Amino acid sequence: MAVKLFNTDGRAIQEFVPITQGKVGMYTCGPTVYNYAHIGNLRTYLFEDLLRRTLEHDGYSVTHVMNVTDIGHLTDDADAGEDKMVKSAREKGMSVWDLAAFYTKAFFEDLERLNIEQPTIVCRATDHIPEMIALVERLKERGLTYEAGGNVYFDISRFPDYGRMALLDRQELQSGARIEIDPQKRNPRDFVLWFTTSKFERQAMLWDSPWGRGYPGWHLECSAMSMKYLGEHIDIHCGGVDHVPVHHTNEIAQSEGATGAHWVNYWLHGEFLLLNKERMAKSSGEFLTLSALIDRGYDPLDYRYFCLGSHYRTQLQSSWEALDGARAARLNLMERIGRLAEEASPSDGAPIGPAAAAFREEFFESLANDLGMPKAMAVLWALLKADEVAPLERLTVVLEMDQVLGLGLAQTAARRDELESELLALVRSREEARAGRDWARADEIRRQLAERGITVEDTPKGSRWSRAHRM
Ligand code: AMP
Ligand code: ZN
């Protein structure tokens, strides 16, 4: 099934055609590890996981690379302010290295709790300083840089395609309409590739470079590391929408500036999670972590379910009521899966009939159509309620859908199987007890079964058991 995706570069839905048949190289901008990820950030990682799982279900082998930013990300994306890591380390009384280790661990734990597939390659910015320096040198050779006040800048006037994806207005770029903060810049949109010690006194992470001891600009790491691990021509690059005008615009300038060729075929951006109608952001101080949700009694998968209910390109308003709704729906879903697993005995295992196949097709078609989740969810529920489709067929199709949804439904069904075999073992040992005329033991087992809602009837042909039906 051809997957169609909305490409921010060109603003159009396009059929996904890989560079190499059957393979996908996918780069997703990772966290800046100066604090916990908030659930807004996690929405973006959930959308990227949905994309990856959709491609994998479609048969692609996906190499997914994610960076961990532990240097150079300033409090303002466009070179102003202080390094986020340095600021947070000072406030928390930790070294920047301990801070990075602590929040990196917390981040990947969050991904695991949300059932997000771990990236194939995770790369830390501080482990790739030589690659970044080499990239700056390459840009310098191509005449795209200048040095001023000890820093190395990218000169956007030498890169005519600057701002292509973000549709930045060329007039505005040339007139320099933005408020200027760095007098060294020739153009307000020029950005730092390499900072030297002149910028911050307290900068603890410093490396030698041809331009003096210093540290890289934030945008540089993603260009350098993605090209190292995925090559100079990449299928997919993702992030949140806030990255379109600055971070990804600058990444394109660096990578295409260095190679002189087209870099990324499909750019995908996830919309914001909102809190009280505003973007959830760490800088505003009002943000929720996954642990805060867990403390309030939610399962991380309730949040996953909540995010799956919206399309990745629409803003999503969060509220306790909405999360409660997601939790109730997910529990209902699990209950239904449990019941299907009970009803679907392997003996009636037949291949999927046309009715079940139609649900299956509609679900995966919705996903292939730019990850159309709301519709896919509606198809999932319609299938669960389709009594005309045999339970085993329904279960089989739902479990296949869950390869993409990632709600752990196979475990829910398997637990039911385990339960089933446990109960069968009890029924069997009761029969043995009866055969050995051990009535006391047989009665004790009957009591145990009754506690679990199973009634046993003794017939001349042996015992028959049934379950009290729940709604
Ligand atoms: P950061 O750790 O700040 O670099 O952000 C990590 C990812 O989360 C980036 O891809 C951002 O674009 C994304 N992001 C930031 N705020 C939000 C939000 N409120 N909703 C969804 N994604 C966000
Ligand atoms: Zn990036």
Side-chain angles (χ1 to χ4, degrees), residues 29-34 38-45 48 69 73 84 218 238-243 270-274 278-282:
C29 291
T32 305
V33 284
Y34 68 106
H38 59 63
I39 59 171
N41 302 136
L42 294 172
R43 183 189 183 199
T44 294
Y45 300 113
E48 292 161 351
T69 301
H73 192 170
K84 289 185 181 188
W218 170 44
C238 306
V241 276
D242 53 324
H243 285 344
E271 254 298 350
F272 286 143
L273 178 82
L274 308 182
E278 302 218 355
R279 169 190 170 189
M280 188 177 286
K282 283 174 214 166

Side-chain angles (χ1 to χ4, degrees), residues 60-137:
Y60 288 105
S61 155
V62 180
T63 306
H64 174 195
V65 178
M66 184 193 278
N67 65 304
V68 169
T69 301
D70 52 3
I71 179 74
H73 192 170
L74 306 189
T75 47
D76 178 297
D77 281 355
D79 295 340
E82 198 176 358
D83 186 306
K84 289 185 181 188
M85 296 291 296
V86 176
K87 183 167 180 274
S88 176
R90 188 181 61 244
E91 285 165 3
K92 295 189 170 67
M94 290 166 94
S95 78
V96 270
W97 304 100
D98 288 348
L99 185 84
F102 180 85
Y103 287 114
T104 303
K105 185 165 172 279
F107 174 76
F108 286 104
E109 276 167 12
D110 277 355
L111 294 198
E112 207 172 315
R113 292 195 286 194
L114 286 167
N115 239 353
I116 292 177
E117 292 184 343
Q118 297 290 330
T120 324
I121 296 167
V122 173
C123 40
R124 268 187 307 195
T126 49
D127 289 338
H128 296 78
I129 303 295
E131 287 85 349
M132 292 190 229
I133 291 175
L135 184 58
V136 178
E137 283 183 319

Side-chain angles (χ1 to χ4, degrees), residues 409-441:
L409 298 180
Q411 285 94 304
T412 308
R415 268 202 298 278
R416 206 50 75 124
D417 283 349
E418 267 169 36
L419 192 71
E420 213 75 336
S421 42
E422 217 180 288
L423 292 176
L424 282 175
L426 273 179
V427 172
R428 232 169 279 127
S429 29
R430 184 169 171 278
E431 279 173 356
E432 278 164 28
R434 275 170 54 81
R437 301 185 163 265
D438 185 348
W439 310 117
R441 179 160 164 68

